[in-house]
Structure formats: C-alpha cells, structure tokens
Amino acid sequence: MGGFDWEVIRTSLPYLFKVGMVFTLTLTVLAMAGGIVFGTLLAMMRVSGLRSLGLLAGTYVNLMRSIPLVLVIFWFFFLVPYIGAWILREPRPIPVGTFYSALITFTMFEAAYYCEIMRAGIQSIPRGQVWSGFALGLGYWQTMGHIVLPQAFRNMLPVLLTQTIILFQDTSLVYVISATDFLGAASKIANRDYRLVEMYSFVAVVYFILSFGLSLLVRRLQVRIAVVR
Amino acid sequence: MPDAMISIRNLSKWYGAFQVLTDCSTQIAKGEVVVVCGPSGSGKSTLIKCVNGLEAFQKGEVVVDGISVGGPKTDLPKLRSRVGMVFQHFELFPHMSVIRNLTLAQEKVLHRSPKDANEKGMKLLERVGLAAHSGKFPAQLSGGQQQRVAIARALSMDPIAMLFDEPTSALDPEMINEVLDVMVALAKDGMTMMVVTHEMGFARKVAHRVIFMDQGQIVEDCSKDEFFGKPRSERAQLFLSKILQH
Ligand SMILES: Nc1ncnc2c1ncn2[C@@H]1O[C@H](COP(=O)(O)OP(=O)(O)OP(=O)(O)O)[C@@H](O)[C@H]1O
Ligand SMILES: [Mg+2]
C-alpha cells in the first residue's frame, strides 16, 4: 500500500471541486428549492381538509418515504427517458442525462420530507391568523401566501435546513448512476490511481466539515429565531 | 325592521351531532350597538363568526347589508372586506410591521395604491394613538396597544359594521380601558357594532341593546335599560349578579 499520498489529493483538487463539488452543490440547492416548493404544495393539499386531495398527497408522501432512495434514483434514471418520450409523444426514449435525472429524483423524493416539515409548520400557525386574514377579505391563496406560509416557513427554517444537510449527504448516492458528483469524482481518481484510502478519507473529511459547519450555523439561527418570536 | 344592517333569522348550527346554535334570530339596525353576553360555551363566538361567514351554518339565514352570507353565489371575501372583525387574541400578523398590518388588505383586497393605503393607515394609527409605533412589530407592543392596532386594521377597510369577539378579555386589567375608549368613540361615531363582551360598563355606556345567550339560544334580546333594570329570565339574572360582583 505504501504511505499516505498527499500528492494525489493535491493534484486532483481542481477536478474534485470544480467538477464534483459543483455538481453536488448545484444538485443540492436546486433540489432543495424544488423540493420545498413541491413539498409546500403537498402540505397544503394535506391540510386542505379536502379528502381526495389529502389522500393523494398522503399516498405520495408515504410511498416516497417507504422506498429506499437508491431505488428511486435507479428507477427514475431508467424511467424518466420513457416518461419524457410519452409526454412529448416521441417514439424513442429521450436522453435526460444524469444531472437532470438526479435533479428530478431528488426534488420528488425530498418533497415528501419537506412536505411533512411544512405541514407541521402550517399547523403550528393559530387558526385565528387564518380567520383574521379571511375577515379582512383576503382570499384563500392570499391568506396562505401572505400570512400562513411566511410564518410557517420562518418557524420551520432550522428544520428545513437540517433536512437540506441530509439531502446534501444523500446526493452522494448518485454514484449508482455513474454521475460525477463530489464522491463520484473522487472515486474515479481513486480507482484510476489506486489511491482508495487517500481519496475516500479526504471525501469523508470534506463532507464532515461542510455538514457539521452548516449544522452549527443552523443552531445559531435557531437561537435567533427563538429570541425574535 | 327595513334598514337592518345585520339580520339573523332562525339560525341553527351543529358540530357533528352537537347543536351549538338553536334557532337564533335578531336584527341589528344601522348605527346600532348591540352587546352579546352569556356564559362560556354558550355560542357567542360561533354566532358572531356566522355573521361574516367564518363559520358555516346548516339552517337559517344571515343577511348583511342585503347580502345573504350563506348564499351560494355570495362573494364571501368581498362581503368580509366590508365587515370589520376584532378578535380576543388580536391576531395581528406577527411577521409584519404595524403599518404593514394595516396596509396589506387595503392593497390586496381594495386595490388601493401603497401611498393611499399608507396614508389611510397612518391616519387610523393616529386615531388610536399609536402613530409613533407604526414601524414596530406587534410583539413589541403591549396587549392593549396590539388590540388598538387590530381595531385600526379593521377600520382601514372602511367597514359598514364591526364585530368584536371579547376584545378585552385577554388583556391585563390596566389595559382594558384604553381599548374600551376606542370602542366607545367608535360607537359614538355611529358605527354599527356587534360586541361580545362581559364589560357591562361598556354596555351601559353605549349599547342600545343587549343579547343574552345560553346553551346556543338567544334567551334575552332587549333594550339596555330593560336588561339592566330587570332581566326577565332567571339565568340572565344569575349571570348578571355573578358578573357585576366584580
Ligand atoms: N370546532 C368546534 N368543534 C366542536 N365544537 C366546538 C367547536 N368550536 C366550538 N365548539 C363548541 O361550541 C360551543 C360554543 O362555542 P363558542 O366558542 O361559540 O362559545 P362562547 O360563547 O364564545 O364561549 P367563550 O365565552 O368560552 O368564548 C362550545 O361548547 C364549544 O365547545
Ligand atoms: Mg368565545
């Protein structure tokens, strides 16, 4: 095996970060944004009091939460080209590429988790807030958009960010569809140069620093929000 | 009464099998101030929320300014925008400044320009003595101040009538009067008001009529003088004697 080779890490830094980490962070941020939007819509369906809507959203959420993420990633990767072809009425499967396939997967998957967070957030807003919005003549969407959701989002911000840290780590699972995310990039170099120990240790350290640093920030944010309320 | 602003006819409401309101009927004329009182759980809040359609009802009719609240074609948001409501727990929007609380619905519902809405809002804050606090957030104000902001917010929509649901019962005693003063001034200005309250001093001062509710029914509906002179029902007498002890 030989000694720990720092050099391989140093020379692969540009590739690891400019290609791998950019992929990972872009995927994380876009899936978070999409997941929160979609998850909030699901949450609104679940609290709407309309049975059919609630059942639909509930089924979706429970389904997503009961299947291993790796399976969903695989499944979407092979299915999305066919679904795309079906929607666009093309005779052949449409190549989507690993990035967009992963983005769609993570958005759909994380939406189930963001949904439950936003649902708790919405339910934490006193009924009187909705009443006072309605009493002023605001409609359902106005009351949601101006009064309920901003407060729910704000109250749940620490939890939403914590979920995003989990998402950030979970994106490494895209290696199963051979995407070049941070882990994927490292693993390619590890296998090329037979430097598994160095590369996987380095990857672990980077994931730890970023995740732990972010969770410290979230904790500080939590304290601030608690004081303002 | 032809010029009734609020007219409630044979209103009944159930929560599942539990009947909250039983055959309630009353009328409130334009400019009239009516106090609604009664023991806890008697249905006062439910009744007042039926007036602007915050609660649905199964039987009877509520008509506000000629418009049926339960009607299938009624534009409820529009109707509600014309009826002000003040809640026991203020229900200011905690994530908005005081002035934004007053301008939001003016802009989104009445489509007033931000400038007009702001002017109107400031004028009303001045009227309730809180212009200096316009930039603060609700949590920075005392309970009494918050409730005065809530009244100003309701007034910013130029309502044709005002509903109050126990506006002072969540307040510390020393803050009750500052809110009642605003309400008394409003009543003297000729506002049509339906007020759920146990503040009998307020009722004595400005109410025209008093409604007494018990177990979902309107037990007494009479002029203030009649009510304070000698309520006809035993339950109202008992209730009054309890309330007036302190
Ligand atoms: N959403 C609900 N579901 C079932 N029962 C309800 C609901 N809201 C109110 N009730 C019941 O209806 C009855 C009347 O309630 P309401 O709030 O109108 O009384 P109230 O006279 O305003 O009492 P309080 O003085 O305590 O405010 C009570 O017995 C209450 O428990
Ligand atoms: Mg009540």
Side-chain angles (χ1 to χ4, degrees):
Chain A
M1 272 235 37
F4 196 93
D5 180 9
W6 292 98
E7 194 53 22
V8 65
I9 296 176
R10 206 185 59 78
T11 51
S12 57
L13 279 182
Y15 175 66
L16 285 180
F17 280 91
K18 279 191 185 149
V19 177
M21 192 49 96
V22 165
F23 183 104
T24 296
L25 288 182
T26 315
L27 180 59
T28 303
V29 168
L30 292 181
M32 171 188 72
I36 289 179
V37 171
F38 184 33
T40 301
L41 283 174
L42 287 170
M44 285 170 69
M45 287 166 75
R46 290 201 86 168
V47 301
S48 66
L50 297 175
R51 249 209 135 130
S52 50
L53 281 185
L55 200 69
L56 194 70
T59 308
Y60 178 85
V61 168
N62 286 323
L63 185 74
M64 281 298 172
R65 301 216 300 177
S66 315
I67 305 177
L69 176 53
V70 182
L71 264 185
V72 185
I73 294 171
F74 249 136
W75 206 68
F76 266 92
F77 183 63
F78 292 112
L79 227 66
V80 164
Y82 288 95
I83 297 175
W86 180 69
I87 291 174
L88 298 173
R89 298 178 189 285
E90 295 273 335
R92 307 172 159 280
I94 295 172
V96 180
T98 48
F99 179 76
Y100 287 105
S101 173
L103 179 58
I104 295 170
T105 309
F106 277 97
T107 301
M108 309 272 286
F109 190 82
E110 290 300 318
Y113 291 85
Y114 287 125
C115 162
E116 292 306 276
I117 297 170
M118 284 308 287
R119 180 164 77 138
I122 292 170
Q123 282 170 339
S124 75
I125 308 301
R127 271 211 69 99
Q129 288 284 302
V130 177
W131 280 333
S132 69
F134 283 169
L136 285 165
L138 295 170
Y140 173 80
W141 291 102
Q142 289 175 320
T143 305
M144 273 290 166
H146 292 290
I147 295 159
V148 178
L149 291 182
Q151 291 186 64
F153 186 79
R154 188 205 160 107
N155 292 353
M156 288 294 136
L157 197 56
V159 193
L160 289 169
L161 288 176
T162 302
Q163 181 63 36
T164 303
I165 296 174
I166 298 171
L167 164 64
F168 167 66
Q169 295 164 8
D170 282 354
T171 55
S172 60
L173 286 173
V174 293
Y175 87 92
V176 297
I177 52 172
S178 310
T180 313
D181 73 319
F182 188 60
L183 175 61
S187 130
K188 276 176 194 169
I189 292 182
N191 286 309
R192 188 194 63 193
D193 299 352
Y194 300 107
R195 286 294 173 190
L196 302 179
V197 175
E198 286 83 351
M199 293 316 285
Y200 286 130
S201 308
F202 179 66
V203 166
V205 168
V206 171
Y207 270 110
F208 172 80
I209 291 174
L210 286 178
S211 301
F212 189 66
L214 215 60
S215 72
L216 287 184
L217 278 178
V218 170
R219 208 171 304 163
R220 279 181 54 183
L221 185 77
Q222 216 159 9
V223 173
R224 266 192 55 193
I225 287 180
V227 171
V228 175
R229 289 208 84 222
Chain B
M1 218 185 295
D3 58 343
M5 183 65 90
I6 298 169
S7 153
I8 299 169
R9 288 183 217 128
N10 308 106
L11 184 67
S12 292
K13 176 178 170 66
W14 286 262
Y15 282 118
F18 173 68
Q19 185 159 13
V20 218
L21 297 175
T22 307
D23 204 30
C24 297
S25 297
T26 191
Q27 306 232 330
I28 297 173
K30 197 163 181 288
E32 201 174 19
V33 177
V34 173
V35 160
V36 181
C37 61
S40 179
S42 56
K44 309 176 297 288
S45 298
T46 307
L47 180 71
I48 205 169
K49 285 198 195 97
C50 285
V51 172
N52 64 351
L54 286 182
E55 292 280 4
F57 46 87
Q58 286 81 26
K59 257 174 106 178
E61 197 181 22
V62 177
V63 178
V64 177
D65 196 31
I67 297 163
S68 169
V69 175
K73 291 204 179 104
T74 301
D75 183 350
L76 261 187
K78 188 172 175 196
L79 178 76
R80 287 175 184 144
S81 73
R82 304 176 63 214
V83 180
M85 183 150 193
V86 174
F87 299 86
Q88 182 174 2
H89 298 288
F90 330 134
E91 303 301 350
L92 294 178
F93 306 133
H95 58 305
M96 296 175 190
S97 66
V98 165
I99 185 68
R100 188 62 186 144
N101 265 275
L102 271 75
T103 57
L104 178 76
Q106 291 189 66
E107 290 172 23
K108 303 294 170 195
V109 179
L110 303 180
H111 305 293
R112 287 182 184 152
S113 72
K115 187 170 161 285
D116 290 352
N118 218 62
E119 258 168 40
K120 175 103 194 168
M122 286 309 296
K123 212 179 283 171
L124 284 163
L125 282 179
E126 226 157 85
R127 180 160 158 196
V128 298
L130 292 169
H133 300 273
S134 66
K136 288 189 181 166
F137 280 81
Q140 295 170 288
L141 303 183
S142 73
Q145 290 172 327
Q146 289 190 51
Q147 195 60 299
R148 280 145 65 198
V149 172
I151 295 173
R153 179 175 70 177
L155 291 175
S156 73
M157 304 297 284
D158 292 319
I160 54 173
M162 288 279 286
L163 310 173
F164 294 82
D165 189 2
E166 304 205 37
T168 57
S169 60
L171 295 176
D172 293 336
E174 71 270 19
M175 293 174 187
I176 290 178
N177 279 328
E178 62 186 75
V179 172
L180 289 180
D181 288 346
V182 171
M183 292 169 61
V184 167
L186 204 55
K188 291 194 167 151
D189 273 359
M191 176 62 78
T192 308
M193 293 164 72
M194 185 169 177
V195 186
V196 176
T197 186
H198 292 161
E199 291 295 331
M200 289 303 138
F202 172 81
R204 279 222 167 85
K205 210 184 264 176
V206 291
H208 299 104
R209 268 172 39 231
V210 178
I211 289 174
F212 175 77
M213 290 185 73
D214 193 21
Q215 295 178 2
Q217 284 177 303
I218 293 182
V219 180
E220 298 261 357
D221 183 352
C222 54
S223 77
K224 165 181 65 178
D225 295 333
E226 272 179 280
F227 187 79
F228 287 116
K230 179 168 63 75
R232 283 159 294 187
S233 78
E234 230 170 85
R235 281 184 293 191
Q237 277 176 25
L238 188 69
F239 175 78
L240 256 188
S241 71
K242 269 189 200 157
I243 282 232
L244 293 179
Q245 264 167 16
H246 43 251

